[in-house]
Amino acid sequence: MISLVVAGKALWVVFIVTWYLLRRPFDRRAQRAKLTVDRRKGADTVRLAVSLIGLGIIPAFYVATGQPRFASYAPNPALLALGILAGIAALILFRLTHKALGQMWSVSLQLKQDHKLITTGIYQRLRHPMYSAFWLMALTQALLLPNYIAGLSGLAGFGFLFFLRIGAEERMMEEAFGEEYRQYRARTWRVLPFVY
């Protein structure tokens, strides 16, 4: 019988590969788009790198090597089940955000030529559902990988990006869309309905 550790690692790989496959067509399209605002250089590049380390490199190293062993703990089937549910929810939300954004999607703080403010679909109630999906994926990682460092590195890495970027992103949107964005912000939640 497959161990819970191996199952958790395998599921994490499946979720990450699916995540990448969902994003790839949008990423290719985004690279061809003409930009009017590009704030990726400097601080945003550092934030993206830290997030990648926490959500990708550290857990991948753990999955491949089992290291750091001192930070491992006994797996729990209930946590594994919750991890599966969180992962499925993350992928669904991730797909919905990309579908709603279409050509307006960007991995960084960028605005496209003829950029439009998206307020339909999943964006009708949440201003940043992509971040919601990332929080769910970081939670998935924490639940599937029974290692304090590898499991929690996603929450730390993405948290670093989120808390240092969200204000800059909202300022950029307000500069670009003015009163339209202020009204949109007034009637929506940031990342978590009824909470934040």
Side-chain angles (χ1 to χ4, degrees):
M1 182 168 161
I2 190 166
S3 78
L4 290 177
V5 173
V6 172
K9 288 179 176 182
L11 286 163
W12 178 82
V13 169
V14 168
F15 283 128
I16 290 299
V17 168
T18 304
W19 185 271
Y20 172 79
L21 292 174
L22 287 173
R23 173 163 274 186
R24 184 68 184 137
F26 294 92
D27 193 32
R28 292 178 68 196
R29 217 176 302 145
Q31 290 175 7
R32 294 190 300 260
K34 292 183 180 177
L35 302 175
T36 58
V37 175
D38 186 2
R39 298 180 182 166
R40 183 172 184 163
K41 295 178 181 156
D44 204 48
T45 300
V46 172
R47 291 188 290 255
L48 287 165
V50 170
S51 185
L52 175 64
I53 290 167
L55 282 168
I57 295 171
I58 292 173
F61 182 75
Y62 167 74
V63 166
T65 67
Q67 296 294 335
R69 292 195 201 292
F70 71 86
S72 292
Y73 56 88
N76 181 314
L79 294 181
L80 188 72
L82 288 173
I84 293 168
L85 293 175
I88 292 168
L91 292 176
I92 291 169
L93 190 54
F94 195 63
R95 173 69 180 134
L96 290 173
T97 59
H98 280 86
K99 186 177 179 185
L101 285 173
Q103 294 181 346
M104 299 303 112
W105 175 78
S106 173
V107 74
S108 190
L109 296 179
Q110 299 171 328
L111 294 175
K112 310 284 195 295
Q113 187 174 358
D114 302 319
H115 202 100
K116 293 174 181 58
L117 179 63
I118 305 299
T119 61
T120 58
I122 192 71
Y123 284 85
Q124 190 171 0
R125 299 278 182 254
L126 289 176
R127 291 192 304 280
H128 303 285
M130 185 76 69
Y131 291 146
S132 305
F134 268 95
W135 279 119
L136 278 170
M137 187 54 79
L139 178 62
T140 298
Q141 179 177 316
L143 293 167
L144 293 179
L145 302 181
N147 183 281
Y148 290 113
I149 293 174
L152 298 176
S153 66
L155 291 167
F158 180 68
F160 178 85
L161 179 140
F162 176 79
F163 289 110
L164 294 178
R165 181 201 260 186
I166 191 75
E169 184 167 338
E170 293 208 331
R171 281 189 300 278
M172 180 183 76
M173 298 302 281
E174 188 172 355
E175 288 168 13
F177 298 105
E179 186 59 26
E180 181 185 8
Y181 186 75
R182 286 188 287 276
Q183 289 177 13
Y184 173 64
R185 185 176 56 208
R187 69 177 184 267
T188 54
W189 299 97
R190 239 183 190 174
V191 293
L192 190 60
F194 309 107
V195 178
Y196 178 69

